[in-house]
Amino acid sequence: MMMLALPFGAMKAAVDPNFYIFLCFGQSNMEGAARPEAQDLVSPGPRFLLMPAVDDPQRGRKMGEWCEAVPPLCRPNTGLTPADYFGRTMIQGLPENVRVGVIHVAIGGIHIQGFMPDSIEAYVKKAPGWMTGMLKAYGNNPYERLVTLAKKAQQDGVIKGVLMHQGESNTGDPKWASMVQSVYDRLLGDLQLKPEEVPLLAGEVVQANGKGQCVAMNKQINELPKTLHTSIVISSTGCTNGPDNLHFDAPGYRELGRRYGEKMLALLGYQVKTPFIVPDDAHIAETTIPGNDFPKVDGERRAYFRVTAPQANQVMVDICGKKYEMRRDEKGTWCAVTDPLPVGFHYYFINIGGQNFIDPATETFFGCNRQAGGIEIPEGPEGDYYRPQPDVPAGQVRSIYYPATHGEMTNGQSSNSQSVNTKSSNSKLVWRHALVYTPADYEQGKTRYPVLYLQHGMGEDETGWSRQGHMQHIMDNAIAKGEAVPMIVVMESGDIKAPFRGGDNRAGTSKYGASFYPVLLNDLIPYIDSHFRTKADREHRAMAGLSWGGHQTFDVVLTNLDKFAWLGTFSGAIFGIDVKTAYNGVFADAEKFNKQIHYFYMNSGSDDFIKSEPLAKSLQQQGIKVDFRESQGTGHEWLTWRRGLYELIPHLFK
């Protein structure tokens, strides 16, 4: 059988109708004047491609050969452009089987005449010296380079639109609009395109709150559709800029690029998938200050934030250590949505210009060594144990100030304390603050109650357990069900509100927060026993703490077994423990220890960066009776510690 020879190129794949190609041209703001940041250099993947208009040996790019679209899209040593986030926005909004490609030709400072084939030769001869190298990179004919590559790209996909950002160099030129139309018409004619199928998107120039160097040009840009009916103007209102008031900064380029993309998606008939479509099932977070509409949380546990900062250049939400860039609208309102968040309580900040601030729409909580914003991502019914319940009698959380003379003022001292010299000695009297929970029936009789001293973690304060931890609801519900005996709970700052500034972190030897120990033993406990109806003996006194509060609990209880008979830690920051020698060998005689401590509890989260299980196992191997529980699906966070308290209290004082 005779084989017929196929002509050269006949084996080439057919044009892919799902490969959308866009031509990008203009001057310096299309070229890109802002340095890409780390987030911009992450490749969006093979769905967003660039056909380079010049060689870039450093990046292995060759003119006319598709590659992944990572900045710089224009030429080597150029910056972030609107085309970068135009493409990223497009692939987010288009079906998965659709790819996007861009061809990018731009020259800083070029007049629109530089893209007109009939005038380019004369333009090159008169071009300033600093522009000659850029023109030469395109063979002294940027239009011809754009068309040549576009024709090549048409062998692979379908041209769907033209993006232009140009005009600063033609500010005030009454012929600008007609010259843009001339370039556009010539482009469509050379590529055999229909204008109704290939719109021109033209971006406004930098506004800088009316102080942009070429802001007057925006009037002409906005009137372009009167001359070129298939053109659409992309607003730059609210797009931030650099100090020259001429070029956008990186956030400004991102926002302008997204606007190009969102408009093109709409023109193509796709629903614009903006980052801030709030679903119908989103509800106002329980931590939001009443009267505000945001923050919100949806059914997928995504959080939605909105703040007004019209003078800001860049705003982010910093939650759980992850930053989410917020988007600005034309009125200066910034919005963001997070990824799905773990259930429970999370601190967060609004970061403006690199500085953290508290969201004015959220309740504040002391954490991270300062007042912070916070948001609760709700659990289902499994979280009812820490929620107030109907028909459950409620106890009280009382705020008290008590005098102390035994502690030293440290950098971790409670900010609510005041020092005054006593008349009788050289010691200092310090008024310290504590919170005291009393059970619902405390006011109804003369019953005396056991006491749990409950400590928070590093960088938090005495309000943590009642505000972030919902301790009072846990106690009320457990007592009402008969799961826990009624008890008093005392919470103090523990001198660990200030940051840990180094030094020994081993349990039993560290100084951070140790100034609280004599205060607790010699001032706070006697005050509580004298001002509340307590059972004032070791058999009816317990101590527990989370994180560094667990460290403090070990330090206090294990050196004062004559005062405590119950012990608990939650994600305890307990380091450097040799179970055979620690605390003067307190664990060496396991039988004696087990008689002294009636119940010993430890927990940590399955995703916790502090793991308590190894220490618990080593204690168990030593013969110590310790009950370890792991909180599934949680880390070093309040949900771990709520669960820990709920598991601890049924075992106390029984």
Side-chain angles (χ1 to χ4, degrees), residues 196-227:
E196 62 271 17
E197 297 177 354
V198 185
L200 173 78
L201 274 56
E204 290 183 333
V205 301
V206 165
Q207 297 197 25
N209 297 317
K211 298 179 181 178
Q213 287 196 34
C214 301
V215 70
M217 185 62 192
N218 282 338
K219 184 176 186 297
Q220 293 175 264
I221 294 173
N222 279 286
E223 292 178 350
L224 180 62
K226 295 179 180 179
T227 301

Side-chain angles (χ1 to χ4, degrees), residues 353-418:
Q355 179 63 48
N356 283 338
F357 296 91
I358 300 172
D359 183 349
T362 190
E363 299 284 358
T364 57
F365 306 84
F366 196 90
C368 310
N369 309 111
R370 55 167 291 184
Q371 291 292 338
I375 187 168
E376 183 79 24
I377 307 300
E379 283 192 288
E382 68 274 16
D384 285 347
Y385 71 92
Y386 58 78
R387 300 183 180 114
Q389 299 296 320
D391 302 323
V392 170
Q396 297 182 18
V397 178
R398 307 166 184 236
S399 173
I400 67 166
Y401 287 87
Y402 69 97
T405 58
H406 293 84
E408 298 178 1
M409 295 292 288
T410 72
N411 60 18
Q413 180 63 54
S414 169
S415 60
N416 290 321
S417 302
Q418 299 177 9

Side-chain angles (χ1 to χ4, degrees), residues 448-453 485-487 525 529 534-543 557 560-567 592-599 651-654:
R448 291 188 173 274
Y449 298 86
V451 184
L452 166 63
Y453 289 85
V485 302
M487 67 187 78
I525 290 176
D529 287 340
T534 68
K535 294 181 178 179
D537 58 56
R538 71 174 301 274
E539 296 295 318
H540 297 93
R541 190 177 297 126
M543 187 172 180
V557 173
N560 294 277
L561 291 175
D562 60 325
K563 294 180 174 63
F564 297 91
W566 314 82
L567 168 63
K592 178 181 178 182
F593 180 87
N594 292 335
K595 289 180 180 179
Q596 292 175 302
I597 294 295
H598 303 323
Y599 183 70
H651 300 276
L652 297 181
F653 313 122
K654 292 182 179 180

Side-chain angles (χ1 to χ4, degrees), residues 484-638:
V485 302
M487 67 187 78
I488 293 170
V489 182
V490 181
M491 296 151 285
E492 222 268 17
S493 77
D495 294 351
I496 56 174
K497 292 171 66 174
F500 179 77
R501 295 191 173 97
D504 198 337
N505 71 348
R506 293 174 299 166
T509 60
S510 64
K511 294 182 179 179
Y512 179 69
S515 56
F516 172 60
Y517 304 162
V519 173
L520 171 65
L521 297 169
N522 302 312
D523 297 304
L524 181 56
I525 290 176
Y527 181 90
I528 295 299
D529 287 340
S530 63
H531 288 74
F532 292 85
R533 298 195 311 276
T534 68
K535 294 181 178 179
D537 58 56
R538 71 174 301 274
E539 296 295 318
H540 297 93
R541 190 177 297 126
M543 187 172 180
L546 69 90
S547 195
W548 200 269
H551 179 120
Q552 293 182 304
T553 298
F554 258 48
D555 282 0
V556 170
V557 173
L558 298 178
T559 56
N560 294 277
L561 291 175
D562 60 325
K563 294 180 174 63
F564 297 91
W566 314 82
L567 168 63
T569 69
F570 321 113
S571 304
I574 303 160
F575 311 117
I577 288 288
D578 180 339
V579 297
K580 296 181 180 180
T581 61
Y583 299 105
N584 297 318
V586 70
F587 299 122
D589 188 339
E591 182 178 358
K592 178 181 178 182
F593 180 87
N594 292 335
K595 289 180 180 179
Q596 292 175 302
I597 294 295
H598 303 323
Y599 183 70
F600 185 0
Y601 173 91
M602 299 179 74
N603 94 330
S604 57
S606 60
D607 302 325
D608 212 319
F609 64 81
I610 293 181
K611 300 291 187 181
S612 298
E613 187 173 18
L615 176 57
K617 286 185 175 180
S618 65
L619 288 167
Q620 290 166 348
Q621 291 170 359
Q622 184 70 13
I624 302 299
K625 293 180 180 179
V626 55
D627 186 3
F628 172 78
R629 310 280 183 90
E630 185 173 75
S631 172
Q632 291 301 313
T634 61
H636 203 69
E637 58 187 276
W638 277 102

